[in-house]
Amino acid sequence: MTPLDLTAILRAAIPDAEVEVTDTTGTLDHFAIRVVSDAFAGVSLLDQHRMVYRALEAPRADGRIHALEIHTATRS
């Protein structure tokens, strides 16, 4: 799975998201992801991360994502 694939999945789930994806090991299955979205406004950090996990459920379940580091933020 490429960083571009992950970005596309996240933008489909959270349309206004600014997404940065880093392949942390060069193996295309360990990623650090930063997602900035107004959709996170008023949402707890835990629920922000749940939104990202939910969007990436399929590639996590089938093993395309082995490890995931998530950073979320709002624009304001």
Side-chain angles (χ1 to χ4, degrees), residues 4 8 10 13 15 23 43 48 51 57 60:
L4 287 177
L10 287 167
D23 177 3
V43 177
Q48 293 174 19
M51 291 168 70
E57 183 176 339
R60 288 184 327 118

Side-chain angles (χ1 to χ4, degrees), residues 13-37:
I14 308 169
D16 77 328
E18 295 173 18
V19 180
E20 296 175 27
V21 178
T22 303
D23 177 3
T24 58
T25 62
T27 56
L28 298 176
D29 61 356
H30 291 66
F31 298 98
I33 297 175
R34 182 173 191 273
V35 183
V36 178
S37 171

Side-chain angles (χ1 to χ4, degrees), residues 1 6 9 28-29 56-66:
M1 169 155 266
L6 287 177
I9 291 170
L28 298 176
D29 61 356
L56 299 175
E57 183 176 339
R60 288 184 327 118
D62 66 17
R64 287 179 286 165
I65 297 175
H66 179 74

